[in-house]
Amino acid sequence: MKSVLLIGLGNFGQALGERLKNMGDEVMIVDRNEDLINSLSSKYTSAAIANCMNVDNLKTLDIPSFDACVVAIGDDFQSSLEITSNLKDLGAKYVVSRANTEIQRKFLLRVGADEVVYPNRDIAEKLAVKLNSKRVFDYVELDAEHGIFEIAVPQRWYGKNLVDANPRGKFGLNVLTIRKGKDITPLPGPTYIFEEGDHMLVFGETDAIIKFTNKNK
């Protein structure tokens, strides 16, 4: 369990807060919208109505006590920039800030953000990958060139074991897990026999995996 300070409760901030809360984290929400805070405060560990552009308001929140601070503001980059900088000046352990463009990311990192996220870009990229192949069920980008994909096992592999199919040697697919419905086989051994309905969780180069899913039905 971690303690998180969440500043900004737009759609992204609320979705993140809900997820953190459901995972058991202690979350303090902060926004200058009084009605919004009043409607959400009962769901969280603590809440405050405050304009975080004012450094004195930030000082009252005991910034160093949080494991992470998230600046989830998406419609006012100047505020996001200043709040990120002030959080670091006040001793924040780890600051995650939201960006909408690459230039925003660079400025946020320059003023002290430890991590920058692109909610809109990340959603668009995941959707693009899934639309590109009907056999991709989920996707996590690890860097610009690599990812982890959940993909369907090709029909021609049914009845073959992992050694004979040789996904790593032939296609560069490192099989991490096999899932069939609710049944999970982590790190399947070489004698695992593929069956109809199997999904593979694979790691590899994004381009190679997309190429594989488009060519192997």
Side-chain angles (χ1 to χ4, degrees):
M1 181 179 68
K2 290 190 175 183
S3 59
V4 179
L5 174 64
L6 177 57
I7 300 173
L9 293 170
N11 291 336
F12 170 66
Q14 289 188 46
L16 177 61
E18 186 73 15
R19 180 60 174 157
L20 290 169
K21 177 173 64 71
N22 290 340
M23 292 173 65
D25 292 325
E26 295 181 345
V27 182
M28 179 178 188
I29 56 171
V30 184
D31 198 283
R32 58 188 176 187
N33 185 320
E34 182 176 354
D35 291 338
L36 187 59
I37 289 295
N38 287 337
S39 68
L40 296 173
S41 60
S42 62
K43 299 179 179 180
Y44 292 91
T45 308
S46 55
I49 302 163
N51 180 355
C52 292
M53 285 280 283
N54 185 325
V55 69
D56 290 331
N57 289 338
L58 284 179
K59 288 179 180 178
T60 67
L61 302 178
D62 191 16
I63 301 302
S65 69
F66 294 94
D67 294 313
C69 299
V70 180
V71 184
I73 300 168
D75 58 357
D76 185 347
F77 178 63
Q78 184 64 32
S79 294
S80 182
L81 197 66
E82 292 189 27
I83 292 169
T84 297
S85 178
N86 288 333
L87 286 170
K88 295 303 290 187
D89 288 344
L90 292 173
K93 297 173 184 175
Y94 195 83
V95 177
V96 181
S97 299
R98 174 181 175 174
N100 295 320
T101 66
E102 177 62 20
I103 192 66
Q104 288 182 2
R105 184 189 75 86
K106 290 180 179 179
F107 277 111
L108 288 165
L109 290 172
R110 191 172 296 172
V111 300
D114 297 287
E115 183 177 350
V116 177
V117 295
Y118 295 81
N120 294 335
R121 187 204 67 171
D122 293 346
I123 291 171
E125 287 196 359
K126 178 172 284 193
L127 179 59
V129 168
K130 293 179 73 173
L131 289 175
N132 190 263
S133 174
K134 293 181 180 180
R135 302 181 70 79
V136 174
F137 295 90
D138 205 354
Y139 159 64
V140 177
E141 177 186 4
L142 298 181
D143 60 26
E145 297 179 355
H146 300 84
I148 296 175
F149 290 71
E150 181 183 347
I151 62 176
V153 170
Q155 184 175 354
R156 62 189 178 84
W157 287 8
Y158 297 167
K160 290 186 176 181
N161 63 34
L162 192 60
V163 170
D164 292 336
N166 194 14
R168 182 176 184 179
K170 293 181 178 178
F171 307 102
L173 308 182
N174 297 277
V175 180
L176 306 176
T177 299
I178 302 292
R179 181 173 72 83
K180 185 172 184 178
K182 295 182 179 180
D183 296 328
I184 301 293
T185 304
L187 298 174
T191 59
Y192 180 88
I193 297 176
F194 292 110
E195 299 177 352
E196 183 176 358
D198 281 355
H199 287 187
M200 301 184 292
L201 193 69
V202 300
F203 162 75
E205 293 184 2
T206 298
D207 288 346
I209 296 174
I210 291 295
K211 182 178 179 181
F212 171 83
T213 58
N214 284 336
K215 287 188 174 182
N216 292 272
K217 307 301 183 183

